[in-house]
Amino acid sequence: MRGAEISSALVKLRSDEHSFVKWWRKENDFLDYDLIDRFMDNINHAEEIEGFELLTLDEMWQRVEQVCGSRVNLVHSGKGDQVEWTYPGKSGTHHEVCIYSPETVMSIFDIETKGNPVC
């Protein structure tokens, strides 16, 4: 499928629960995840894409847990769901608490995989 076909299919298949797209090229040499809206804004309509899968926030969170292990934790509280994330930095270990949102989950995933997802 070309990018234009993928774009059209995403519009048809997407539900309110879907925030992410997992996609891969025909050569199976490339696998990526993105926010659906960002993917649609940046898609090259001539690019050949072998396939895609739509993911919910909870499904993408499972991938983040696979990559980060015990360095991420989803906390349910009266203030709403939050992500606790511990990661190494230049000046030692850092600890972040962020709102559990598609943008937060995607940012953590991108940083942790350095743009090279393996799951």
Side-chain angles (χ1 to χ4, degrees), residues 7-111:
S7 186
S8 177
L10 285 173
V11 170
K12 290 177 187 171
L13 297 173
R14 183 180 189 183
S15 74
D16 290 341
E17 293 180 350
H18 295 125
S19 299
F20 303 92
V21 60
K22 171 183 171 182
W23 63 279
W24 54 94
R25 294 192 308 192
K26 188 174 184 176
E27 299 83 13
N28 287 323
D29 65 342
F30 188 82
L31 170 68
D32 203 2
Y33 294 80
D34 208 344
L35 295 163
I36 293 173
D37 293 334
R38 187 168 70 183
F39 177 80
M40 300 258 305
D41 287 344
N42 296 319
I43 195 166
N44 176 345
H45 292 283
E47 183 174 9
E48 181 135 1
I49 297 172
E50 178 67 20
F52 69 93
E53 179 183 347
L54 296 175
L55 303 170
T56 65
L57 178 56
D58 291 336
E59 290 169 330
M60 190 66 193
W61 175 251
Q62 291 172 1
R63 273 120 178 129
V64 168
E65 286 181 313
Q66 287 174 339
V67 169
C68 299
S70 63
R71 292 184 294 109
V72 293
N73 189 29
L74 182 56
V75 178
H76 307 286
S77 72
K79 296 186 238 178
D81 294 342
Q82 296 180 319
V83 175
E84 293 180 349
W85 177 35
T86 303
Y87 59 95
K90 291 180 181 178
S91 60
T93 301
H94 298 277
H95 185 77
E96 299 276 341
V97 177
C98 309
I99 296 171
Y100 181 58
S101 69
E103 293 79 10
T104 296
V105 170
M106 191 74 243
S107 291
I108 292 170
F109 186 80
D110 283 344
I111 291 167

